[in-house]
């Protein structure tokens, strides 16, 4: 009988230990509510018994809920260049959620202190070797290189592709640049020529005289006469296309 009781005791010890281990996983949630009494309770005289608190004196108005209160921006010092944020040594002020998850945890930034500002400041050699003209230049390069630029040319009149054609096509897609920033291929592109319809070529767009984006362009012919227009191609950028020029042809600067 004693042996059976010992066995039963050992069997029931395990679930109790499991329950204890589960309770240790609970995390405390720290919240603060600032309240104000709706009705002020009456004061009592010195050395007299306080008045009994009525129910209405326990009614409170919520003044502030710190859980939903907008937290102020955090200032950090960047350890290296971060696209869309800044360069090494810059002190930036951003939302706490972004700072914690995108800058502090990956080790791209440190808290804004005089010691960190001096530690991560750019040296003279780093200042002279400019790699990025701005925090958003590389993002612009990535966006330009991700699109297929439709270059619409006249189907009825002779033309020669010039930088202003690319400038107008970029403006239609929301990019504004000057003609001096556009570099066309070395080979001349002339038309109209329906053999060149829906074929690709590349041009280069220079940003801030430093970064360069290689933009994929696709040639289309358009006529002012509705009866002479080519059939409309829906979402042409998703279709496969052939190169207009020989592969690896150099480019010329305009």
């Amino acid at each position: 009988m004693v042996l059976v009781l010992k066995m039963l005791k050992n069997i029931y010890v395990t679930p109790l230990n499991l329950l204890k281990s589960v309770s240790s996983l609970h995390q405390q949630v720290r919240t603060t509510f600032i309240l104000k009494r709706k009705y002020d309770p009456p004061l009592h005289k010195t050395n007299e018994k306080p008045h009994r608190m009525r129910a209405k004196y326990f009614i409170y108005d919520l003044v502030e809920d710190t859980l939903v209160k907008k937290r102020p921006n955090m200032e950090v010092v960047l350890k290296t260049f971060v696209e869309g944020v800044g360069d090494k040594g810059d002190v930036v002020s951003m939302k706490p959620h972004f700072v914690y998850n995108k800058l502090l945890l990956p080790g791209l930034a440190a808290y804004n202190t005089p010691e960190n500002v001096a530690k991560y400041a750019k040296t003279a050699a780093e200042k002279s070797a400019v790699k990025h003209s701005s925090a958003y230049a590389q993002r612009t390069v990535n966006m330009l290189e991700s699109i297929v630029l439709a270059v619409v040319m006249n189907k009825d009149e002779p033309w020669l592709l010039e930088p202003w054609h690319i400038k107008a096509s970029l403006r239609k897609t929301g990019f504004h640049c000057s003609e001096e920033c556009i570099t066309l291929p070395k080979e001349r592109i002339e038309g109209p020529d329906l053999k060149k319809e829906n074929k690709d070529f590349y041009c280069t767009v220079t940003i801030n005289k430093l970064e360069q984006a290689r933009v994929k362009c696709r040639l289309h012919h358009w006529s002012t006469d509705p009866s002479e227009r080519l059939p409309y191609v829906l979402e042409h950028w998703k279709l496969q296309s052939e190169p207009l020029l020989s592969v690896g042809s150099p480019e010329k600067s305009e």
Side-chain angles (χ1 to χ4, degrees):
M1 185 66 180
V2 175
L3 180 61
V4 174
L5 291 176
K6 288 184 177 180
M7 292 178 62
L8 292 175
K9 183 178 180 181
N10 294 334
I11 291 174
Y12 284 102
V13 165
T14 303
L16 294 176
N17 292 336
L18 289 176
L19 291 176
K20 291 182 179 179
S21 62
V22 171
S23 62
S24 64
L25 298 177
H26 293 172
Q27 294 182 358
Q28 183 180 5
V29 178
R30 297 182 180 274
T31 54
T32 302
F33 299 89
I34 302 177
L35 306 177
K36 180 182 178 182
R37 291 184 188 272
K38 191 171 185 179
Y39 304 99
D40 294 333
L43 302 178
H44 62 279
K45 295 181 180 180
T46 307
N47 300 327
E48 288 189 2
K49 185 179 179 181
H51 298 286
R52 184 177 180 182
M53 300 285 285
R54 299 174 59 183
K56 70 175 184 178
Y57 299 138
F58 295 96
I59 301 176
Y60 299 91
D61 291 329
L62 179 63
V63 178
E64 183 180 349
D65 182 1
T66 58
L67 186 63
V68 297
K69 181 181 178 181
K70 184 178 179 180
R71 293 186 294 174
N73 287 358
M74 289 183 59
E75 289 190 351
V76 292
V77 185
L78 297 181
K79 298 180 181 180
T80 182
F81 173 79
V82 181
E83 181 182 333
V85 179
D87 205 352
K88 179 184 177 181
D90 292 346
V91 178
V92 296
S93 176
M94 309 194 77
K95 294 182 179 180
H97 181 76
F98 180 85
V99 170
Y100 282 128
N101 293 282
K102 302 297 183 180
L103 298 179
L104 291 177
L105 290 181
L108 302 176
Y111 289 101
N112 181 22
T113 61
E115 295 78 10
N116 287 335
V117 171
K119 180 178 179 181
Y120 298 109
K122 278 188 173 183
T123 61
E126 290 175 335
K127 291 181 180 179
S128 60
V130 180
K131 296 181 180 180
H132 305 278
S133 59
S134 72
Y136 301 95
Q138 187 58 42
R139 180 179 296 180
T140 306
V141 170
N142 297 339
M143 293 179 65
L144 285 171
E145 293 183 346
S146 66
I147 66 173
V148 178
L149 184 66
V151 181
V152 182
M153 306 300 293
N154 199 307
K155 182 175 175 290
D156 305 320
E157 301 294 334
W159 49 263
L160 173 65
L161 187 67
E162 297 181 8
W164 69 269
H165 293 110
I166 306 298
K167 175 184 176 181
S169 300
L170 286 171
R171 187 172 64 247
K172 292 179 182 179
T173 59
F175 295 95
H176 296 265
C177 68
S178 60
E179 297 181 23
E180 293 75 16
C181 301
I182 300 171
T183 303
L184 293 178
K186 183 178 180 180
E187 300 182 23
R188 292 163 58 94
I189 301 177
E190 299 176 324
D193 187 357
L194 295 183
K195 294 181 180 180
K196 299 177 181 178
E197 174 68 20
N198 237 8
K199 292 189 176 182
D200 298 339
F201 65 93
Y202 285 87
C203 68
T204 302
V205 177
T206 305
I207 303 169
N208 298 334
K209 300 181 180 181
L210 185 62
E211 290 88 357
Q212 290 187 339
R214 196 163 180 259
V215 184
K216 184 178 183 180
C217 306
R218 186 163 294 177
L219 195 63
H220 298 283
H221 290 81
W222 176 263
S223 176
T224 55
D225 186 1
S227 61
E228 296 294 331
R229 292 176 186 171
L230 299 176
Y232 178 74
V233 180
L234 182 64
E235 296 182 346
H236 67 88
W237 55 88
K238 294 183 179 180
L239 304 177
Q240 294 293 333
S241 180
E242 298 179 359
L244 176 64
L245 306 175
S246 58
V247 180
S249 60
E251 297 175 340
K252 66 175 181 178
S253 300
E254 297 292 338

